[in-house]
């Protein structure tokens, strides 16, 4: 099936190319739900992959939005406003006022500081709208607030305001394979919420927690996800604070549904090293930590062939950017590569298409297609030229008066 689909895709679309598989995505979300406690909700981080939003609304409880652009994308997909969590360390007053005045309110607005709280409170009062907030507890960086600040807000008098505290949000990073670390974080937040109840008589209805579940990106990674999720689920079942738990996930949900196809455009041997030049590169293929050159990614080769079909050599896979840093993999054993071969990199459904240095050297953004649940190919975006974004504007003296050419 994979061979037939590769042939179908490559007969109709040019490389480099992103492919997102919705059947895989649905199964992945189902897998996570089946391994997590039954009463745990899932919140999807839009920044991980905004292209799949329109297809996953019915599978996800919430969507976390961290920027004005992400909000516009959610609106374009017509996602229910009630499913949005408006997050972000900076929230422009103008955009918050637009949202609050609109009528139907998001599930919650996160609060990153006392100043943000006062802004949201004032805007809600001005618009005559009731809103819910999640107070973000810091994990020791620029995000969120210290314990004493969160406690002060909760102990303060919000009576008469149009603002209701829905719960607490806590997030400390990604790619966390250590169950012990997750236990430490869950114990910390669980204990803090429990102390609020015991010492201050404050009940926190909900905890939105970012566990940063890991994704195995490279060959040979020793990670037993079944056992990992079993242990983590046990930790979640052991929480004593009484708060409803929502997990905010991005990478863990979306990574496996994506692949990136790039074509060999040249091969050479320099100083005894084999090099394959690809039409893609590091500006479009970003795994966590950008460490692909040091590790061997999961990939497939098309046309398919085995060691018996040709000599196996060690190849350095290099992208199309004019920088020595554009190396996707070093010394990767592969059947002898030829110009025109296509390499399909797996697990690229999260961040790859948005986190790369897309404007460097002004190469076009790649096409993006989706394979729906009926295995039909749906084009999402054609190639996008970006060179004009690196062009300077005309100097003022060169601009025609009144905006018109002579």
């Amino acid at each position: 099936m994979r061979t037939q689909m590769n042939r179908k895709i490559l007969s109709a679309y040019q490389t480099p190319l992103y492919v997102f598989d919705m059947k895989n995505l649905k199964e992945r979300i189902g897998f996570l739900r089946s391994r997590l406690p039954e009463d745990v909700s899932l919140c999807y981080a839009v920044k991980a992959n905004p292209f799949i939003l329109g297809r996953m609304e019915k599978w996800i409880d919430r969507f976390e939005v961290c920027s004005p652009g992400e909000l516009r994308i959610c609106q374009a997909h017509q996602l229910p406003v009630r499913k949005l969590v408006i997050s972000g360390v900076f929230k422009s007053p103008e955009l918050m006022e637009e949202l609050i005045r609109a009528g139907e309110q998001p599930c919650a607005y996160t609060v990153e500081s006392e100043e943000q709280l006062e802004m949201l409170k004032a805007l809600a009062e001005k618009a005559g709208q009731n809103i819910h907030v999640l107070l973000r507890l810091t994990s020791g960086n620029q995000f969120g607030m210290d314990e004493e600040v969160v406690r002060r807000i909760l102990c303060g008098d919000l009576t008469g305001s149009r603002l209701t505290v829905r719960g607490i949000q806590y997030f400390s990073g990604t790619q966390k394979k250590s169950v012990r670390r997750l236990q430490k974080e869950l114990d910390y937040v669980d204990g803090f919420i429990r102390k609020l109840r015991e010492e201050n008589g404050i009940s926190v209805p909900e905890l939105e927690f970012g566990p940063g579940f890991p994704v195995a990106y490279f060959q040979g990674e020793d990670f037993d996800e079944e056992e990992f999720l079993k242990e983590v689920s046990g930790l979640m079942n052991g929480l004593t604070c009484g708060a409803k738990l929502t997990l905010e996930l991005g990478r863990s949900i979306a990574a496996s549904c994506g692949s990136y196809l790039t074509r060999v455009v040249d091969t050479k041997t320099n100083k005894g090293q084999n090099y394959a030049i690809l039409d893609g590169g590091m500006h479009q293929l970003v795994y966590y930590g950008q460490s692909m050159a040091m590790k061997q990614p999961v990939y497939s080769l098309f046309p398919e062939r085995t060691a018996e079909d040709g000599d196996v050599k060690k190849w350095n896979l290099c992208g199309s950017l004019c920088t020595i840093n554009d190396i996707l993999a070093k010394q990767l054993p592969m059947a002898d590569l030829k110009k025109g071969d296509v390499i399909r990199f797996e697990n690229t459904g999260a961040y790859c298409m948005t986190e790369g240095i897309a404007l460097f050297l002004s190469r076009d953004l790649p096409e993006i297609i989706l394979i729906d649940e009926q295995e039909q190919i749906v084009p999402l975006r054609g190639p996008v030229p970006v060179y004009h974004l690196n062009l300077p504007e005309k100097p003022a003296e060169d601009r025609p008066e009144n905006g018109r050419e002579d």
Side-chain angles (χ1 to χ4, degrees), residues 100-101 122-130 162:
I100 293 172
R101 288 174 60 88
L123 290 174
E125 183 63 34
K126 179 181 177 182
Q129 296 284 349
N130 298 320
R162 291 184 172 274

Side-chain angles (χ1 to χ4, degrees), residues 6-14:
N6 279 340
R7 187 175 290 112
K8 185 176 181 180
I9 289 171
L10 292 172
S11 68
Y13 297 91
Q14 298 296 312

Side-chain angles (χ1 to χ4, degrees), residues 299 301 303-315 333-338 341:
Y299 74 94
L301 181 63
E304 295 178 356
R305 54 188 183 272
T306 64
E308 290 73 30
D309 299 321
D311 295 335
V312 172
K313 298 180 181 179
K314 291 185 177 180
W315 289 90
M334 303 180 71
D336 195 17
L337 288 178
K338 299 176 177 61
D341 287 344

Side-chain angles (χ1 to χ4, degrees), residues 199-215:
E199 297 175 5
N200 303 99
I202 296 170
S203 176
V204 174
E206 182 174 338
L207 169 61
E208 185 176 293
F209 181 72
F213 286 165
V215 169

